[in-house]
Amino acid sequence: MGETDEQLMLAYASGDARAFESLYAKHKGPVFRYVLRSVKSRGEADELFQDVWEKVIGAAERYTPQAKFTTWLYTIAHHRLVDHWRVKGLSVVSIDAQEDDEGGAPEPVAAPSSEPHRIAEARDTLQVLSSTLAAMPQAQREAFLLHHEGDLSIAEIAAATGTNEEAAKSRLRYAINKLKDALRDD
């Protein structure tokens, strides 16, 4: 069994660059998607994503595993997003389009035997979900993304966003209900 994220971060703080590479490889996708779905453009997301990892690197020597590594990591990402919104004078940030690593709109994955109407339905569903997520209040969207992309628990979402567990649970519940309602209406 491999090392935990916390052990890897401590190893990195002690000078093991391979430990950082392991952490980065494991968490880069979810962190990037969390940031991308929280801002307006891929360019902003790229910049903020790099800032998050620079802050992780800069804080490595001070890292102490008081919580799960992912809670610590997403707390850094949350604070960086809050700073970004504050500078922009925004209280709620929406997304215009979801993009994949190649810069295009995400395509639903379909089996080769899928019929064209099923692919079209999947694209429509993706658009409904994206639009609904973009229209959510920032706190609800953030709770959902931390749970979905970061795989954080309610307690970890509360810790990452500086709120209590009841508020985090409520925000996540409202977000999930809005997504379910949007799919029912579709």
Side-chain angles (χ1 to χ4, degrees):
M1 181 161 175
E3 293 178 292
T4 66
D5 290 345
E6 295 78 17
Q7 291 168 326
L8 287 170
M9 189 61 188
L10 290 170
Y12 172 63
S14 297
D16 182 354
R18 285 179 294 163
F20 178 79
E21 291 170 8
S22 295
L23 284 171
Y24 182 78
K26 180 178 179 182
H27 297 288
K28 69 181 179 179
V31 170
F32 183 76
R33 286 188 301 274
Y34 167 66
V35 172
L36 178 63
R37 291 178 175 143
S38 299
V39 297
K40 291 185 177 186
S41 72
R42 183 175 180 88
E44 286 177 318
D46 287 336
E47 181 181 327
L48 294 167
F49 174 77
Q50 292 302 319
D51 288 351
V52 168
W53 286 102
E54 286 174 15
K55 289 184 183 299
V56 168
I57 291 167
E61 291 181 5
R62 298 183 311 275
Y63 175 77
T64 56
Q66 297 174 348
K68 279 181 58 178
F69 172 79
T70 51
T71 303
W72 181 75
L73 175 62
Y74 283 95
T75 299
I76 291 172
H78 166 76
H79 288 146
R80 183 59 191 100
L81 286 168
V82 168
D83 291 345
H84 170 75
W85 297 325
R86 196 173 290 133
V87 166
K88 296 261 186 192
L90 302 172
S91 59
V92 176
V93 177
S94 65
I95 54 176
D96 295 326
Q98 313 276 322
E99 297 180 0
D100 64 14
D101 291 341
E102 286 75 46
E107 295 291 326
V109 177
S113 62
S114 292
E115 299 172 26
H117 75 278
R118 294 208 185 269
I119 294 170
E121 287 173 2
R123 283 188 184 137
D124 290 346
T125 299
L126 181 60
Q127 181 57 42
V128 167
L129 292 174
S130 295
S131 298
T132 303
L133 191 60
M136 279 181 198
Q138 180 266 330
Q140 291 173 16
R141 179 176 51 250
E142 183 173 45
F144 177 79
L145 292 173
L146 287 170
H147 179 70
H148 180 71
E149 297 294 350
D151 199 28
L152 270 62
S153 69
I154 298 294
E156 293 164 338
I157 292 168
T161 58
T163 189
N164 62 50
E165 288 186 36
E166 195 56 40
K169 183 177 177 181
S170 178
R171 290 170 181 173
L172 180 59
R173 183 178 63 246
Y174 281 122
I176 290 171
N177 286 340
K178 285 179 182 178
L179 290 168
K180 285 179 181 178
D181 289 346
L183 289 174
R184 270 187 237 126
D185 294 343
D186 186 39

